[in-house]
Amino acid sequence: MKYVTVGASRNARLKLFGYYVQRAVTSRRIRHAATRAAVALLGTLHGRIERRQPAGAGAALRAQGYAPLGSLLSPAQCAEALAWLRGRDMVAVRGDGRAFSIDDVPPGARVADFPVGSAVHCPHLLALANRPDLLAVATDYLGYTPTITLMGLRWSFPRPTSDADVQGFHRDSDAASIKLLVYLTDVDADSGPHSYVAGTHLDRMPLRLRRYADQEIVRKHGTGIVVTGPAGTGFFIDTRGIHKGTPPTRRARLVLIVQYSLLPCLIYDYAPVPYHGDLRVDPYVNRLLIAPAAR
């Protein structure tokens, strides 16, 4: 997924303006009112929906900002996904944007993403992102049928130093969004577990987003939730809460990230990819990922 740039077009500049306007709204009350208004507008434009009440995960997500989901993929499914990705290129998040495969990782690479097409076509992942029970949790939490606004695959590699911009504690500012994270490799304390500070999704959003030092988080909140587990382990987070992907120290980590939102994220420049697989998915939910089939 590419970010919108100022010089791209007038429409891009308007999107960036809208993004920073919503960033400036820090009040939970005003943000909640804006979400209710968006839900009402979507209902008018696309019709009302029947909301199902998911058990467990929705309540945990509201209370903590974090909801464990257990095993979402089997070991065999994770192995098949890894085998499919092995010969395909990813791109370093920092540096010169060099593309490389898992068999040829450059020495300085800390974090790298696959293009969205790889995430969409990789075995089992699109089906997982569209599982009815997971969509039900997102629908209940957001108030309306979600739109998948991000579907990414990210490798994190053991290095002497971390990338503080992407591997330090932070908040995301995307309005009315939650993320599903699924480990595709085994994750223990030494291989990059996700860390989440429970309850911080209920804080007033800061006007200026920043990184939080580990010592500051421990002093104010304790150790927080550290998510470890075998390949296939999944969980929801409300990314308005403080979180980070801990840098691995021993073994690389691959994680699937799916973001569900009420509306498209203004910071992204969407380019849906063609999909010719057999899976039938909701075109509304997937409209930013999958291009309409040619008639």
Side-chain angles (χ1 to χ4, degrees):
M1 204 76 72
K2 295 181 179 179
Y3 289 101
V4 172
T5 57
V6 174
S9 66
R10 181 174 181 272
N11 184 56
R13 290 192 290 272
L14 288 174
K15 288 179 67 177
L16 279 177
F17 175 75
Y19 170 75
Y20 285 107
V21 166
Q22 66 91 19
R23 278 272 302 270
V25 179
T26 61
S27 166
R28 285 187 62 216
R29 182 175 298 176
I30 295 175
R31 280 180 167 249
H32 187 57
T35 297
R36 291 201 307 269
V39 168
L41 177 60
L42 290 170
T44 301
L45 293 175
H46 303 290
R48 300 290 173 178
I49 61 168
E50 181 181 350
R51 291 172 59 181
R52 292 178 293 168
Q53 293 292 332
L61 196 53
R62 282 192 172 83
Q64 297 190 99
Y66 161 80
L69 301 170
S71 178
L72 297 181
L73 292 173
S74 70
Q77 289 173 320
C78 292
E80 187 177 351
L82 285 169
W84 189 90
L85 291 166
R86 178 162 291 279
R88 288 170 169 80
D89 282 346
M90 65 190 94
V91 178
V93 172
R94 296 286 183 268
D96 59 4
R98 172 184 169 186
F100 55 89
S101 73
I102 191 62
D103 295 319
D104 187 29
V105 180
R110 298 184 182 93
V111 179
D113 294 339
F114 285 98
V116 65
S118 293
V120 166
H121 291 100
C122 185
H124 310 299
L125 302 190
L126 185 63
L128 175 61
N130 283 274
R131 263 180 46 169
D133 58 332
L134 300 180
L135 291 177
V137 174
T139 299
D140 177 68
Y141 194 76
L142 299 175
Y144 194 79
T145 302
T147 293
I148 296 177
T149 50
L150 172 68
M151 185 171 174
L153 285 165
R154 171 164 287 184
W155 274 110
S156 297
F157 305 106
R159 294 291 182 264
T161 58
S162 66
D163 186 332
D165 284 341
V166 296
Q167 295 178 305
F169 277 112
H170 63 283
R171 300 178 189 267
D172 295 347
S173 65
D174 298 322
S177 294
I178 58 173
K179 283 183 179 177
L180 169 71
L181 282 76
V182 184
Y183 295 151
L184 297 181
T185 53
D186 295 338
V187 174
D188 59 18
D190 298 322
S191 47
H194 187 87
S195 296
Y196 192 86
V197 183
T200 54
H201 67 303
L202 300 175
D203 295 345
R204 183 186 181 102
M205 286 293 291
L207 180 60
R208 184 174 182 179
L209 296 181
R210 67 181 182 90
R211 302 289 154 173
Y212 301 87
D214 289 5
Q215 297 86 344
E216 179 183 358
I217 295 301
V218 171
R219 185 174 66 253
K220 291 183 177 180
H221 304 284
T223 56
I225 298 169
V226 179
V227 187
T228 59
T233 298
F235 50 98
F236 271 120
I237 59 171
D238 184 329
T239 57
R240 291 174 300 179
I242 298 172
H243 62 282
K244 74 169 181 175
T246 306
T249 58
R250 184 173 60 89
R251 184 173 55 197
R253 180 199 70 177
L254 177 62
V255 62
L256 168 68
I257 305 167
V258 183
Q259 181 167 302
Y260 303 95
S261 308
L262 276 183
L263 300 168
C265 295
L266 296 174
I267 198 66
Y268 293 135
D269 185 13
Y270 292 101
V273 299
Y275 174 73
H276 304 295
D278 297 330
L279 185 66
R280 295 292 175 262
V281 296
D282 186 318
Y284 175 83
V285 173
N286 294 271
R287 68 190 186 278
L288 303 180
L289 289 181
I290 299 174
R295 295 182 180 273

